[in-house]
Structures are given as C-alpha cells and as structure tokens.
C-alpha cells in the first residue's frame, strides 16, 4: 500500500509540546509521512511563558512550497494550525491553491482563542481572516470559542444543548468545509469531548471522556494530530473523533497524575502504542 503524506504547516515551539513538536510524532506514529513547514521558531509557546523568542519564517513558506511543486510532490493532506499573522494566512491560502487536488484533504485548525478569549498575540480582525482560510478547507477543527469567532457570535461558556451544538456545526459547515469537528463540547460537568458533522451525509457524531479538571496546554494540537492520523488511515469520522478524544484524555490524565506544570504540555508520548493499536496498525 502506498504510504500517505501530510504537509504540516505550524510553528515550532521549541519547548512546551504543541504545534509541530506534537504533529510530527503523532502523525508519523499513525504511519503517515510528514513534511513540515515551520512558520516560526519560538523558544516556547505563548501560553503562560514570559520572554519567549519569536523568529518569523513567513518569507520561507512560499519558497518551500514552490520548491516542492517543482519536484512534483503531492500531499494526501495539508494540515495547518497556529498561524502568526494575516500575511501568513494569505500565504497558506496560496499554498492550498498549489497543492489542492480533487481527493486530498485540507485540514484547518483555526488556532486563535480558548475559553472565550482571543490569544493576546491576535487583533480583533484576525478571526475574519481565519474564517476565509476555513472557507477553503475540507475539514475544520475549532474549539467552541473559535467557532463563535468564525460565526461572529458571542461566546457561550456552556454547558451546551445538542440543539446548540448541532446548529453551530451546521453553520460552520455552511462556510465551506464538508466536515466540522468541534472540541470542548459538554452537556454536563462530568464529561467533555468532541462533536462532528459530515455535511455530505448530514450526520452528527459525539465522543466524550470523563472530564479532568484544569487547563492543559497543547491538547488541541494533540487532538488535531490524532484526528488527522485516524482520518487518513481510513477511519470514519465517528471512529476518528472517538480515537482522538480517548488519546487526548489519556494524555491529560497521565499528565495530571504526574503533577506536571500545565504549560509544559501533556504526556502524549506514553500513549502512542495504544493510539497505534486503536488505529489497527499493530
Ligand atoms: O497549541 C496552539 C499554539 C501553537 N503555537 C503557539 C502557541 C499556541 C497556543 O498558545 O502559542 C506558538
């Protein structure tokens, strides 16, 4: 069987386990080749550390893509996450145009906010640019805060109802993507998880896990990467969100039990053998 290949377009936060340092190991463990486009190099991610370095690599993105195009390299998926500026969003949109085919998957995680708050790095106008990028995607993976920003509506802290979640999913799909996966979904205080909508099948699915109290950094990227690995291995959306929710929740539980600083990221590494098993790769 031909090995699948993903282009992962994210920053490298050298310390703190998120973006490329999460996407590379998880998607590789799923048996998929990962080509990396680093959009910036930071000493740490921006979630709770002071004085981090930030080297912008915006000017390198198109030359990398152009070189790959000259080599006739194709991708089964392009997976984007944290993008640092409007210019990067526009350039990534151009990269989509270069590599989109009728059967590959553009996956956009519109990383920009959480818990009702836009990350401090971004201006109020950033969500409308991210919305344009989402319109070009086949799959989007927002959390509820990002979903509300994309739909230009006030944040709702929850707990949610099925009607609310399904209305959000339908409206997000109406922006363009055929598949929408919403994270941070909960109907009561006991469980937390994800909901998905496949517009072509008009089908909703849910996956939950017991809630672990606290906020753990990088979990959106762990979830997104595990999801990309599952989808590209041919799993249905319902199965893919269950695999990604279980893997992320286990990573959080392990980290909580170890008492690790929540800024340092979660221990996703110890769960890789089980993730591979869930994908039926071993
Ligand atoms: O995990 C999302 C993320 C990725 N990259 C950087 C970040 C964040 C979230 O804060 O700061 C640099």
């Amino acid at each position: 069987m031909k090995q699948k290949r993903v282009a992962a377009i994210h920053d490298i936060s050298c310390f703190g386990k998120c973006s490329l340092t999460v996407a590379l190991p998880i998607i590789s463990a799923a048996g998929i080749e990962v080509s990396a486009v680093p959009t910036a190099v930071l000493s740490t991610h921006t979630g709770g550390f002071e004085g981090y370095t930030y080297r912008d690599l915006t000017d390198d993105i198109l030359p990398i893509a152009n070189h790959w195009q000259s080599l006739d390299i194709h991708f089964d998926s392009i997976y984007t996450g944290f993008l640092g500026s409007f210019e990067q969003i526009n350039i990534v949109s151009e990269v989509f145009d270069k590599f989109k085919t009728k059967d590959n998957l553009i996956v956009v995680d519109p990383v920009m906010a959480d818990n009702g708050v836009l990350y401090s790095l971004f201006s109020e106008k950033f969500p409308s640019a991210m919305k344009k990028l989402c319109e070009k995607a086949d799959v989007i993976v927002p959390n509820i805060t990002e979903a509300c920003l994309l739909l230009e509506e006030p944040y709702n802290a929850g707990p949610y109802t099925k009607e609310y979640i399904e209305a959000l999913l339908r409206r997000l799909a109406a922006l363009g993507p055929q598949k929408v996966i919403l994270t941070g979904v909960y109907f009561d205080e006991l469980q937390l998880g994800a909901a998905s909508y496949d517009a072509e099948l008009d089908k909703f699915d849910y996956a939950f896990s017991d809630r672990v109290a606290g906020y753990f950094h990088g979990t959106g990227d762990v979830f997104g990467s595990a999801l990309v690995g599952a989808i590209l291995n041919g799993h249905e959306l319902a199965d893919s969100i269950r695999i990604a929710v279980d893997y992320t929740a286990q990573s959080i539980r392990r980290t909580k039990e170890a008492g690790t600083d929540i800024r340092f990221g979660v221990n996703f590494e110890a769960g890789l053998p089980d993730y591979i098993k869930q994908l039926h790769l071993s």
Side-chain angles (χ1 to χ4, degrees), residues 15-18 45-49 115 212-219 251-252 255-267:
F15 180 82
K17 292 198 278 188
C18 65
H45 59 69
T46 66
F49 295 106
N115 288 316
V212 180
Y215 175 82
F216 293 83
H217 198 89
T219 52
S251 302
I252 292 171
T255 307
K256 172 123 182 165
E257 276 162 25
T260 313
D261 186 323
I262 58 166
R263 300 173 303 172
F264 289 10
V266 293
N267 180 356

Side-chain angles (χ1 to χ4, degrees), residues 11 13 18-19 42 45-47 82 111 119 217-218 221:
D11 65 280
S13 292
C18 65
S19 42
L42 295 85
H45 59 69
T46 66
F82 181 92
V111 176
Y119 293 145
H217 198 89
D221 297 332

Side-chain angles (χ1 to χ4, degrees), residues 165-180:
I165 293 299
E166 295 185 1
L168 272 187
L169 286 165
R170 271 191 208 283
R171 281 187 295 138
L172 289 163
L175 297 177
Q178 192 212 310
K179 294 180 171 73
V180 180

Side-chain angles (χ1 to χ4, degrees), residues 7 9 37 61-62 64-70 72-78 93-102 104-106:
I9 309 179
V37 182
I61 301 173
L62 271 182
I64 292 170
N66 288 338
H67 184 220
W68 287 353
Q69 214 177 13
S70 79
D72 200 27
I73 296 169
H74 293 261
F75 297 99
D76 297 287
S77 176
I78 301 174
S93 178
E94 257 187 82
V95 175
F96 289 173
D97 295 339
K98 286 178 188 295
F99 292 102
K100 181 65 196 156
T101 65
K102 67 174 187 351
N104 69 2
L105 274 189
I106 292 184

Side-chain angles (χ1 to χ4, degrees), residues 79-230:
Y79 168 40
T80 74
F82 181 92
L83 298 171
S85 64
F86 292 94
E87 197 189 351
Q88 281 199 349
I89 290 182
N90 290 335
I91 288 174
V92 166
S93 178
E94 257 187 82
V95 175
F96 289 173
D97 295 339
K98 286 178 188 295
F99 292 102
K100 181 65 196 156
T101 65
K102 67 174 187 351
D103 44 27
N104 69 2
L105 274 189
I106 292 184
V107 182
V108 173
D109 182 347
V111 176
M112 56 184 170
D114 207 357
N115 288 316
V117 185
L118 191 66
Y119 293 145
S120 58
L121 215 64
F122 300 125
S123 77
E124 297 289 308
K125 292 196 181 123
F126 193 80
S128 67
M130 194 54 103
K131 180 178 173 183
K132 286 218 176 71
L133 197 68
C134 287
E135 287 167 2
K136 278 194 164 178
D138 301 298
V139 182
I140 60 170
V141 194
N143 60 35
I144 303 243
T145 308
E146 290 156 349
C148 291
L149 287 167
L150 292 172
L151 295 171
E152 295 168 59
E153 64 175 59
Y155 172 64
N156 173 352
Y160 308 104
T161 61
K162 221 171 160 195
E163 291 69 32
Y164 175 78
I165 293 299
E166 295 185 1
L168 272 187
L169 286 165
R170 271 191 208 283
R171 281 187 295 138
L172 289 163
L175 297 177
Q178 192 212 310
K179 294 180 171 73
V180 180
I181 295 92
L182 200 51
T183 59
V185 174
Y186 71 105
F187 299 136
D188 58 54
E189 299 297 333
L190 299 177
Q191 293 208 308
L192 182 68
S196 65
Y197 178 56
D198 187 319
E200 198 173 54
L201 306 174
D202 195 28
K203 185 171 183 281
F204 296 98
D205 287 291
Y206 294 88
F208 293 100
S209 176
D210 290 342
R211 182 191 276 271
V212 180
Y215 175 82
F216 293 83
H217 198 89
T219 52
D221 297 332
V222 170
F223 178 86
S225 302
L227 182 84
V228 166

